[in-house]
Amino acid sequence: MKPLLELQNVSYAYHSKTGETFALSDISFQVNKGEFIAVVGPSGCGKTTLLSLISGLLRPESGSVLFEGQKDASFQEKIGYMLQRDHLFEWRTIYQNVTLGLEIQHKINDDSKARIDKMLMDYGLYKFRNAKPSELSGGMRQRAALIRTLALEPELLLLDEPFSALDFQTRLSVCDDVYEILHREKKTALLVTHDLSEAVSMADRIIVLTKRPARISTILEITFEEGRPGPFARRNTPEFKEYFNVLWKELNSHE
Ligand code: ADP
Ligand code: MG
């Protein structure tokens, strides 16, 4: 089976008048359909840059990004990008926010409306569809942002520290929600986080990056004796602590 996403020896540097910032060096990995991949690495190492290259916002200086084996940028519309802050518009209702992408792409029709209503119901936001973002809790806003991203039916989701603005307790429950939603929708996801326990609690594999310019330091396979438990359940498994310690050592071995 062809991987959904493949990076081959991707390198990238930012150029400006004052000089050059070498951000990524020789990154290669594959993501299969349905996989949940986490990317961890020190702050400023190049994680967001990596997602920008995958989404097509930036072009690699060398190497290639392949989507279903294709190199052309037409795959951009198959990718959903969810950022650290939810970027909901305060002057639009929750419904108008989650349908914004569909509206822009002229894709509002009976099918897409039914799909949105179902997601709003499934994820506990239907009652709030006419509310403004400021009336929602942080966790609810993040769910709304996720529905907005899923509305366009992306095949690959890029999540850039989507939970970091939430308080710890909310983060745990939103993690669980998002994991559940992505599984139910059979989505492939790439989650960037600096929170090691978040990575272990959600991912099938974890890509560990070095300090800038990021290289791949290791790729850790995450498996549990009891199959594929959700984030909350994982935190209580004996494997959880072991993986956390392996990651911790790996990240600190480059200091
Ligand atoms: P991370 O997401 O891992 O914190 P980033 O990918 O955002 O790291 O940034 C990697 C490096 O590239 C940092 O040193 C950052 O300052 C630099 N950088 C990011 N964006 C730009 C830009 N638009 N122009 C110049 N340098 C940038
Ligand atoms: Mg970042």
Side-chain angles (χ1 to χ4, degrees):
M1 202 178 65
K2 239 187 300 184
L4 184 67
L5 174 73
E6 182 169 11
L7 273 73
Q8 296 172 337
N9 312 103
V10 169
S11 296
Y12 190 83
Y14 292 98
H15 300 275
S16 70
K17 280 186 201 133
T18 50
E20 189 178 47
T21 307
F22 197 18
L24 295 171
S25 171
D26 198 25
I27 304 281
S28 300
F29 63 86
Q30 300 186 342
V31 180
N32 296 314
K33 213 172 158 55
E35 265 192 309
F36 200 120
I37 308 287
V39 177
V40 300
S43 169
C45 77
K47 301 183 291 301
T48 297
T49 306
L50 180 65
L51 293 192
S52 299
L53 284 159
I54 294 170
S55 71
L57 289 172
L58 297 174
R59 290 288 139 87
E61 286 201 319
S62 60
S64 339
V65 177
L66 304 172
F67 194 83
E68 291 174 325
Q70 301 289 315
K71 211 171 170 176
D72 67 278
S74 63
F75 60 70
Q76 262 173 280
E77 62 187 56
K78 297 182 178 171
I79 295 180
Y81 205 158
M82 188 164 146
L83 303 167
Q84 191 165 354
R85 287 193 297 126
D86 56 48
H87 296 283
L88 296 175
F89 293 121
E90 191 49 43
W91 67 88
R92 294 175 73 105
T93 64
I94 291 304
Y95 189 81
Q96 289 166 339
N97 266 288
V98 299
T99 53
L100 180 61
L102 291 169
E103 194 180 306
I104 291 169
Q105 296 192 7
H106 304 291
K107 285 181 180 163
I108 297 198
N109 52 44
D110 289 346
D111 271 0
S112 63
K113 277 197 241 167
R115 211 152 34 72
I116 294 287
D117 282 350
K118 183 167 188 317
M119 282 198 279
L120 287 169
M121 273 185 252
D122 286 350
Y123 313 145
L125 289 176
Y126 193 73
K127 273 202 299 199
F128 296 88
R129 66 190 183 284
N130 296 318
K132 292 288 169 62
S134 59
E135 298 170 60
L136 270 60
S137 70
M140 292 163 86
R141 293 176 64 117
Q142 213 57 20
R143 288 207 293 271
L146 181 63
I147 295 176
R148 184 186 52 195
T149 309
L150 291 174
L152 293 164
E153 301 190 289
E155 285 178 43
L156 173 67
L157 267 123
L158 304 178
L159 307 161
D160 196 355
E161 310 208 10
F163 314 120
S164 57
L166 305 172
D167 64 77
F168 183 67
Q169 216 163 351
T170 310
R171 198 156 86 211
L172 289 186
S173 78
V174 174
C175 259
D176 228 45
D177 282 355
V178 167
Y179 181 88
E180 165 78 14
I181 292 166
L182 295 184
H183 261 258
R184 203 183 314 163
E185 311 279 340
K186 296 195 170 52
K187 293 296 177 194
T188 313
L190 206 73
L191 166 80
V192 161
T193 177
H194 59 254
D195 181 336
L196 301 186
S197 55
E198 192 171 285
V200 178
S201 73
M202 295 182 88
D204 301 315
R205 280 193 293 148
I206 301 177
I207 298 173
V208 184
L209 299 177
T210 64
K211 276 191 300 198
R212 191 178 66 80
R215 287 173 292 106
I216 293 184
S217 139
T218 189
I219 299 183
L220 189 63
E221 199 78 47
I222 307 292
T223 57
F224 294 88
E225 207 165 293
E226 47 179 298
R228 209 183 184 191
F232 229 85
R234 284 189 190 192
R235 288 175 189 266
N236 293 316
T237 61
E239 292 99 331
F240 187 86
K241 218 173 179 172
E242 287 169 32
Y243 286 130
F244 183 93
N245 288 333
V246 171
L247 283 175
W248 181 262
K249 278 208 190 106
E250 188 66 35
L251 278 166
N252 289 299
S253 66
H254 303 282
E255 290 299 305

